[in-house]
Amino acid sequence: RLRSDFARLGKEVRGLAVEFGASTDELTGGLYQALSAGVPADNSIEFLAIASKAATAGVTDVKTSVDGMTTAMNAYGMKTDQASKVSDVFFQTVKLGKTTFGELSSNIGKVATIAAKVGVEFEEMMTSIGQLTLGGLSTEMSITAMKSALQQLLVPSATMIERFKEMEVANGQALIKQVGFAKAIKSIIGPYEDNI
């Protein structure tokens, strides 16, 4: 059974190599990475095809594409059948901001887990990253700034706790749930913008 599965996967990888003009080595590496990240073997070729298409369109390599997509999917508890949606959101972020598929994929792991934990929706997180890059920050700086803001919401300072009381919310997660991530950040920094 295992040998026949490997033979089948090998044949399908060779088919993808022809379809996307990628090397079998690159695709085999992407497949191994996808499987290691928890993509079920039964869905691995379909996922690899989506990631390969994203890599081609995003002018990056398959490994980077697989890494970014699986990182986001794992952080948000998404199933493999949502891979196309994840790829689409990555491309929407590229279109909205000044970033690339490769830059997003390489940096998304720095913020995705904490964003999901705090309650920021995947699309909202990515939109915020795009807007920050459009404002002139690099992708890495945008993601670092977002991570810092999220950490302040997750583990608030005494000043932040006072702000929550003023806004009549229990914590950062409650604020995000009530008004969304972008408005939560704006409502927190708004009164202090002149001092920033």
Side-chain angles (χ1 to χ4, degrees), residues 27-57:
L27 289 170
T28 301
L31 176 63
Y32 177 76
Q33 187 177 14
L35 293 169
S36 297
V39 174
D42 290 348
N43 305 111
S44 60
I45 294 297
E46 182 184 352
F47 175 83
L48 187 62
I50 293 166
S52 298
K53 185 176 179 182
T56 301

Side-chain angles (χ1 to χ4, degrees), residues 61-115:
D61 59 275
V62 173
K63 184 180 178 201
T64 302
S65 176
V66 168
D67 184 46
M69 290 175 62
T70 55
T71 296
M73 291 166 67
N74 287 340
Y76 280 90
M78 295 186 219
K79 303 290 183 201
T80 313
D81 62 3
Q82 293 176 283
S84 286
K85 173 189 170 184
V86 171
S87 174
D88 290 347
V89 172
F90 268 76
F91 279 113
Q92 278 299 111
T93 307
V94 170
K95 190 175 176 182
L96 169 73
K98 288 169 63 179
T99 185
T100 67
F101 198 102
E103 287 172 332
L104 287 169
S105 290
S106 298
N107 288 284
I108 199 70
K110 297 172 187 170
V111 73
T113 301
I114 189 171

